[in-house]
Amino acid sequence: MSVKPFKFGRRIFLLITSFLLMAPYRALSRFLARRPLVYLTWRQDPTSTMVVNWMDNDSRSPDYVMYRQLDLPRGSSWTLARGFKHNFADDKKRIIHHVELRGLNSDTEYIFTIGSKGTARGGSYLKFRTLPKSIPSDFRFVTGGDMMHDRKKVDAMNQRAAELNPWFALLGGDLAYANADKKNVSNWEDWLESWMLNCVRKSDGGLIPMVVAIGNHEVAGGTGKTPKDAKYFYSLFPMPDKRSFYALDIGNYLSLILLDSDLTERIDGEQAIWLEKSLSKRFGKMPFVFACYHKPAYGTAKPPSGTKDSSKDPLAQKIIKHWCPLFDRYNVTAVFENDHHTYKRTHPLRGNRIDRDRGIVYLGDGCWGVDTRDVPKPGEVWYLAKAESKRHLICVTIRNGKSDYVAYEADGKVIDRHS
């Protein structure tokens, strides 16, 4: 007996509805949205520029962004900015677009829509806020690394970041755990989708820009490689000077120093020379200078065989020899390390010793959304003031000329606090 068209249509509707209800979050969101994956970065001054990036699968889509200040009267004209696109490294199914917006006003909200099907459909738009030229009374950013073993875990921590309303996120590598392997390219989609859907400031609905360092899981083969071994990472992020170590200055109050801990650039040689010049240039001029990289000098969970002291590792020794004396000499504010899948805070260190008066604190060890590792017991490792096997992000708040560090779990519980 034939099925009437109405009943057939109703059955199809019920089947689709059932599929959506049972589908994983990733499939559901893509089915409903079919939108490009948008993320924000900087190549230069965050008080007057923004780079709008997106991934889609449409090689014919135009490369432009329409934007304007949010507070302008209704009907105000939009500005068009053009950019460029390229294949996502050697992946022909995915296209990466980059459009840099320049000449923006500081500490100002903007709305924008991209020239690609999906986001612009129906007049929908996204938001961001430029950074202030002078430090406000309560300036905040979040930092962490080693982000995505599990989509639910990274979603939860991204949502925690959004609850804290940071100006930006400083990410210390091992972002999508794709290992520069073409078989894992979809990991990048998952990671970008989680960021776009969850890392939206609760205070104003703006996307949270990211400042990124490279990790070993962005590289084919881990450490000691070259940029060509991290083609997906370099394809996603339009770096200043087109390399993995760079500085980003924010107004006249804060500098971020991003380093490559022997992944695609060597610790010594050119990078160490650049680091000294960069720190010297900012010494006495920038009140707050933070360094961030992936492999730690003072780690928690990967000691060499026969010792619990991770600083004895040969790569850690290189950092201690070539970078840490420069951090000491130019009085960096704090150093953020990653890679070990734990939380750590060191005692204040200077000259590879504890110095409670003039030392620098090393924080992090990278456990945003990954499985945790065991840590030494209290007192077992000389440089550790605090170590926990817990997923976390660190919220850095600058207030009254001082920096405050609070490590949060995804549910908002505080692991550690340091001022």
Side-chain angles (χ1 to χ4, degrees):
M1 187 173 76
S2 63
V3 179
K4 292 182 180 180
F6 173 78
K7 290 183 178 179
F8 178 78
R10 185 169 180 271
R11 289 182 181 183
I12 292 296
F13 172 79
L14 291 173
L15 281 171
I16 292 174
T17 302
S18 176
F19 166 76
L20 290 177
L21 290 174
M22 296 175 63
Y25 176 71
R26 176 180 63 182
L28 175 60
S29 61
R30 286 179 186 159
F31 186 91
L32 293 174
R34 298 293 185 189
R35 55 186 161 189
L37 303 175
V38 181
Y39 57 105
L40 303 177
T41 60
W42 290 295
R43 295 183 67 252
Q44 49 189 329
D45 187 3
T47 71
S48 63
T49 72
M50 185 67 73
V51 181
V52 179
N53 314 271
W54 66 97
M55 175 191 286
D56 63 18
N57 60 0
D58 187 359
S59 61
R60 299 168 298 174
S61 62
D63 300 292
Y64 64 80
V65 169
M66 301 291 294
Y67 68 99
R68 67 173 177 84
Q69 284 185 211
L70 181 62
D71 59 1
L72 293 179
R74 198 169 188 175
S76 298
S77 62
W78 293 69
T79 300
L80 185 148
R82 296 190 180 278
F84 65 97
K85 62 173 172 271
H86 54 82
N87 288 343
F88 183 28
D90 58 2
D91 182 81
K92 297 180 181 179
K93 296 179 181 179
R94 298 165 180 86
I95 309 299
I96 304 296
H97 308 253
H98 310 286
V99 180
E100 185 169 29
L101 313 183
R102 302 176 183 176
L104 306 176
N105 293 323
S106 63
D107 198 5
T108 301
E109 284 185 284
Y110 285 85
I111 56 175
F112 70 95
T113 184
I114 66 174
S116 179
K117 64 183 181 181
T119 302
R121 187 185 303 148
S124 62
Y125 57 83
L126 298 168
K127 295 169 60 178
F128 67 81
R129 191 180 192 101
T130 52
L131 270 59
K133 281 193 174 181
S134 299
I135 191 165
S137 58
D138 193 6
F139 185 87
R140 179 177 299 177
F141 66 92
V142 295
T143 185
D146 298 80
M147 298 186 72
M148 198 179 77
H149 278 177
D150 180 281
R151 176 61 188 266
K152 289 182 179 180
K153 291 172 184 175
V154 76
D155 282 351
M157 198 64 74
N158 286 349
Q159 290 164 14
R160 174 54 43 193
E163 293 283 349
L164 293 166
N165 297 309
W167 288 94
F168 62 88
L170 178 63
L171 305 179
D174 282 7
L175 308 175
Y177 279 78
N179 296 317
D181 189 332
K182 194 168 185 177
K183 294 183 293 185
N184 300 328
V185 169
S186 62
N187 288 22
W188 286 111
E189 284 185 324
D190 268 358
W191 181 76
L192 289 172
E193 183 180 66
S194 177
W195 192 268
M196 186 179 74
L197 295 177
N198 296 298
C199 281
V200 180
R201 284 163 48 113
K202 296 301 180 184
S203 59
D204 57 18
L207 292 181
I208 300 172
M210 59 179 82
V211 181
V212 299
I214 192 169
N216 56 285
H217 284 287
E218 277 80 63
V219 185
T223 58
K225 303 300 179 180
T226 65
K228 69 179 182 180
D229 298 305
K231 54 192 173 184
Y232 297 103
F233 177 83
Y234 283 93
S235 183
L236 272 177
F237 300 109
M239 299 286 190
D241 301 319
K242 299 181 179 180
R243 63 188 181 194
S244 55
F245 57 94
Y246 60 96
L248 190 68
D249 296 325
I250 301 172
N252 60 358
Y253 54 92
L254 189 149
S255 293
L256 302 173
I257 306 295
L258 282 297
L259 297 169
D260 183 332
S261 48
D262 205 48
L263 303 170
T264 63
E265 301 284 351
R266 305 293 73 81
I267 290 167
D268 54 356
E270 180 188 359
Q271 189 172 192
I273 293 169
W274 172 89
L275 177 60
E276 177 156 26
K277 288 181 179 177
S278 297
L279 292 176
S280 174
K281 178 181 177 182
R282 291 161 177 82
F283 184 59
K285 299 176 182 177
M286 284 292 191
F288 297 94
V289 179
F290 297 97
C292 178
Y293 48 87
H294 190 66
K295 294 282 187 177
Y298 299 104
T300 45
K302 293 183 179 181
S305 179
T307 175
K308 292 185 179 295
D309 187 345
S310 294
S311 70
K312 301 298 184 183
D313 178 82
L315 193 147
Q317 286 289 301
K318 285 186 179 181
I319 295 173
I320 290 169
K321 177 180 179 181
H322 295 284
W323 292 357
C324 294
L326 300 177
F327 299 154
D328 293 345
R329 185 182 309 165
Y330 297 106
N331 293 330
V332 303
T333 310
V335 178
F336 301 112
E337 303 184 316
N338 297 274
D339 185 60
H340 281 200
H341 300 188
T342 63
Y343 171 73
K344 70 102 179 281
R345 170 173 54 86
T346 70
H347 296 291
L349 305 177
R350 179 174 289 269
N352 203 32
R353 294 182 177 87
I354 296 173
D355 185 336
R356 300 192 186 281
D357 296 323
R358 300 172 60 241
I360 295 165
V361 173
Y362 293 69
L363 302 112
D365 270 18
C367 201
W368 188 287
V370 294
D371 297 332
T372 60
R373 295 191 176 105
D374 293 335
V375 297
K377 295 177 182 178
E380 276 193 306
V381 176
W382 67 271
Y383 52 78
L384 289 176
K386 179 81 171 181
E388 296 278 357
S389 296
K390 293 182 179 179
R391 283 182 290 277
H392 69 278
L393 61 76
I394 299 170
C395 182
V396 183
T397 303
I398 298 173
R399 188 185 297 114
N400 299 323
K402 295 182 179 179
S403 51
D404 178 70
Y405 311 90
V406 182
Y408 290 96
E409 294 184 77
D411 61 5
K413 291 179 181 178
V414 174
I415 301 171
D416 187 32
R417 188 185 299 271
H418 177 73
S419 298

Tab-separated table of all heavy atoms in Angstrom, residues 361-384:
chain	number	residue	atom	x	y	z
A	361	VAL	N	58.011	34.302	39.247
A	361	VAL	CA	57.165	33.128	39.404
A	361	VAL	C	56.857	32.538	38.035
A	361	VAL	O	56.498	33.268	37.096
A	361	VAL	CB	55.866	33.486	40.152
A	361	VAL	CG1	54.910	32.300	40.173
A	361	VAL	CG2	56.191	33.926	41.580
A	362	TYR	N	56.988	31.219	37.920
A	362	TYR	CA	56.649	30.475	36.708
A	362	TYR	C	55.352	29.712	36.996
A	362	TYR	O	55.277	28.948	37.959
A	362	TYR	CB	57.766	29.499	36.338
A	362	TYR	CG	59.050	30.172	35.908
A	362	TYR	CD1	59.839	30.878	36.823
A	362	TYR	CD2	59.503	30.094	34.590
A	362	TYR	CE1	61.018	31.495	36.444
A	362	TYR	CE2	60.683	30.703	34.194
A	362	TYR	CZ	61.433	31.403	35.120
A	362	TYR	OH	62.606	32.013	34.731
A	363	LEU	N	54.349	29.928	36.144
A	363	LEU	CA	53.032	29.347	36.385
A	363	LEU	C	52.562	28.540	35.188
A	363	LEU	O	53.037	28.731	34.078
A	363	LEU	CB	51.997	30.448	36.659
A	363	LEU	CG	52.249	31.387	37.820
A	363	LEU	CD1	52.540	32.782	37.300
A	363	LEU	CD2	51.051	31.421	38.749
A	364	GLY	N	51.571	27.659	35.444
A	364	GLY	CA	50.881	27.002	34.335
A	364	GLY	C	51.004	25.497	34.323
A	364	GLY	O	50.409	24.801	35.116
A	365	ASP	N	51.764	25.036	33.366
A	365	ASP	CA	52.009	23.641	33.007
A	365	ASP	C	50.902	22.988	32.192
A	365	ASP	O	50.883	21.775	32.012
A	365	ASP	CB	52.396	22.786	34.216
A	365	ASP	CG	53.916	22.790	34.425
A	365	ASP	OD1	54.578	23.692	33.868
A	365	ASP	OD2	54.441	21.916	35.119
A	366	GLY	N	49.965	23.786	31.671
A	366	GLY	CA	49.135	23.348	30.557
A	366	GLY	C	48.156	22.238	30.844
A	366	GLY	O	48.470	21.071	30.628
A	367	CYS	N	46.949	22.597	31.294
A	367	CYS	CA	45.939	21.557	31.507
A	367	CYS	C	44.539	22.157	31.339
A	367	CYS	O	43.685	22.040	32.208
A	367	CYS	CB	46.114	20.939	32.890
A	367	CYS	SG	45.357	19.306	33.029
A	368	TRP	N	44.316	22.802	30.203
A	368	TRP	CA	43.039	23.479	29.917
A	368	TRP	C	41.907	22.462	29.739
A	368	TRP	O	40.855	22.599	30.344
A	368	TRP	CB	43.208	24.327	28.661
A	368	TRP	CG	42.087	25.252	28.302
A	368	TRP	CD1	40.867	24.918	27.789
A	368	TRP	CD2	42.092	26.682	28.406
A	368	TRP	NE1	40.110	26.031	27.546
A	368	TRP	CE2	40.851	27.136	27.918
A	368	TRP	CE3	43.027	27.624	28.831
A	368	TRP	CZ2	40.511	28.497	27.852
A	368	TRP	CZ3	42.695	28.974	28.771
A	368	TRP	CH2	41.451	29.405	28.286
A	369	GLY	N	42.136	21.450	28.892
A	369	GLY	CA	41.063	20.493	28.636
A	369	GLY	C	41.553	19.080	28.400
A	369	GLY	O	40.886	18.288	27.748
A	370	VAL	N	42.720	18.742	28.947
A	370	VAL	CA	43.331	17.432	28.682
A	370	VAL	C	43.298	16.564	29.940
A	370	VAL	O	42.990	17.021	31.039
A	370	VAL	CB	44.790	17.589	28.194
A	370	VAL	CG1	44.836	18.280	26.843
A	370	VAL	CG2	45.626	18.360	29.220
A	371	ASP	N	43.656	15.287	29.764
A	371	ASP	CA	43.764	14.387	30.899
A	371	ASP	C	44.956	14.806	31.767
A	371	ASP	O	46.008	15.207	31.250
A	371	ASP	CB	43.948	12.948	30.427
A	371	ASP	CG	42.752	12.448	29.630
A	371	ASP	OD1	41.633	12.946	29.875
A	371	ASP	OD2	42.947	11.572	28.759
A	372	THR	N	44.814	14.672	33.063
A	372	THR	CA	45.844	15.144	33.984
A	372	THR	C	46.915	14.079	34.231
A	372	THR	O	46.698	12.888	34.020
A	372	THR	CB	45.229	15.545	35.335
A	372	THR	OG1	44.582	14.402	35.914
A	372	THR	CG2	44.205	16.658	35.148
A	373	ARG	N	48.062	14.539	34.704
A	373	ARG	CA	49.144	13.657	35.129
A	373	ARG	C	49.389	13.842	36.628
A	373	ARG	O	48.948	14.824	37.230
A	373	ARG	CB	50.427	13.963	34.356
A	373	ARG	CG	50.342	13.676	32.860
A	373	ARG	CD	51.728	13.743	32.226
A	373	ARG	NE	51.698	13.375	30.815
A	373	ARG	CZ	51.795	14.250	29.807
A	373	ARG	NH1	51.930	15.538	30.066
A	373	ARG	NH2	51.766	13.842	28.560
A	374	ASP	N	50.128	12.899	37.207
A	374	ASP	CA	50.484	12.992	38.623
A	374	ASP	C	51.532	14.083	38.827
A	374	ASP	O	52.324	14.390	37.919
A	374	ASP	CB	51.032	11.666	39.127
A	374	ASP	CG	49.974	10.569	39.144
A	374	ASP	OD1	48.778	10.910	39.238
A	374	ASP	OD2	50.357	9.386	39.048
A	375	VAL	N	51.550	14.648	40.029
A	375	VAL	CA	52.526	15.686	40.376
A	375	VAL	C	53.344	15.232	41.582
A	375	VAL	O	52.931	14.336	42.327
A	375	VAL	CB	51.826	17.024	40.693
A	375	VAL	CG1	51.088	17.550	39.483
A	375	VAL	CG2	50.880	16.889	41.883
A	376	PRO	N	54.496	15.841	41.796
A	376	PRO	CA	55.287	15.492	42.988
A	376	PRO	C	54.536	15.845	44.275
A	376	PRO	O	53.668	16.719	44.294
A	376	PRO	CB	56.543	16.362	42.826
A	376	PRO	CG	56.596	16.717	41.383
A	376	PRO	CD	55.185	16.801	40.921
A	377	LYS	N	54.893	15.181	45.335
A	377	LYS	CA	54.331	15.509	46.642
A	377	LYS	C	54.911	16.838	47.120
A	377	LYS	O	56.007	17.235	46.705
A	377	LYS	CB	54.660	14.399	47.635
A	377	LYS	CG	54.009	13.065	47.311
A	377	LYS	CD	54.443	11.993	48.297
A	377	LYS	CE	53.826	10.649	47.936
A	377	LYS	NZ	54.264	9.567	48.865
A	378	PRO	N	54.189	17.546	47.981
A	378	PRO	CA	54.714	18.823	48.501
A	378	PRO	C	56.108	18.657	49.095
A	378	PRO	O	56.360	17.741	49.887
A	378	PRO	CB	53.684	19.203	49.580
A	378	PRO	CG	52.415	18.563	49.134
A	378	PRO	CD	52.828	17.260	48.494
A	379	GLY	N	57.020	19.531	48.675
A	379	GLY	CA	58.387	19.504	49.190
A	379	GLY	C	59.341	18.600	48.441
A	379	GLY	O	60.547	18.633	48.694
A	380	GLU	N	58.835	17.773	47.495
A	380	GLU	CA	59.726	16.836	46.779
A	380	GLU	C	60.606	17.530	45.748
A	380	GLU	O	61.710	17.056	45.465
A	380	GLU	CB	58.894	15.749	46.089
A	380	GLU	CG	58.509	14.600	46.975
A	380	GLU	CD	57.963	13.433	46.176
A	380	GLU	OE1	57.014	13.624	45.388
A	380	GLU	OE2	58.489	12.313	46.336
A	381	VAL	N	60.121	18.596	45.152
A	381	VAL	CA	60.882	19.321	44.121
A	381	VAL	C	61.102	20.741	44.621
A	381	VAL	O	60.150	21.443	44.977
A	381	VAL	CB	60.135	19.322	42.779
A	381	VAL	CG1	60.885	20.153	41.748
A	381	VAL	CG2	59.958	17.893	42.270
A	382	TRP	N	62.334	21.156	44.644
A	382	TRP	CA	62.743	22.377	45.339
A	382	TRP	C	62.049	23.645	44.841
A	382	TRP	O	61.797	24.570	45.624
A	382	TRP	CB	64.265	22.547	45.252
A	382	TRP	CG	64.788	22.811	43.857
A	382	TRP	CD1	65.159	21.879	42.941
A	382	TRP	CD2	65.003	24.077	43.245
A	382	TRP	NE1	65.585	22.473	41.775
A	382	TRP	CE2	65.497	23.835	41.946
A	382	TRP	CE3	64.828	25.400	43.657
A	382	TRP	CZ2	65.819	24.856	41.052
A	382	TRP	CZ3	65.142	26.434	42.787
A	382	TRP	CH2	65.636	26.148	41.497
A	383	TYR	N	61.747	23.708	43.550
A	383	TYR	CA	61.241	24.968	42.997
A	383	TYR	C	59.717	25.087	43.043
A	383	TYR	O	59.167	26.151	42.768
A	383	TYR	CB	61.722	25.167	41.553
A	383	TYR	CG	61.470	24.003	40.622
A	383	TYR	CD1	60.216	23.769	40.072
A	383	TYR	CD2	62.513	23.148	40.271
A	383	TYR	CE1	59.999	22.703	39.206
A	383	TYR	CE2	62.301	22.075	39.415
A	383	TYR	CZ	61.041	21.865	38.884
A	383	TYR	OH	60.821	20.814	38.026
A	384	LEU	N	58.992	24.021	43.372
A	384	LEU	CA	57.533	24.041	43.326
A	384	LEU	C	56.933	24.549	44.633
A	384	LEU	O	57.172	23.992	45.704
A	384	LEU	CB	56.990	22.646	43.028
A	384	LEU	CG	57.207	22.112	41.614
A	384	LEU	CD1	56.685	20.676	41.507
A	384	LEU	CD2	56.530	23.007	40.580
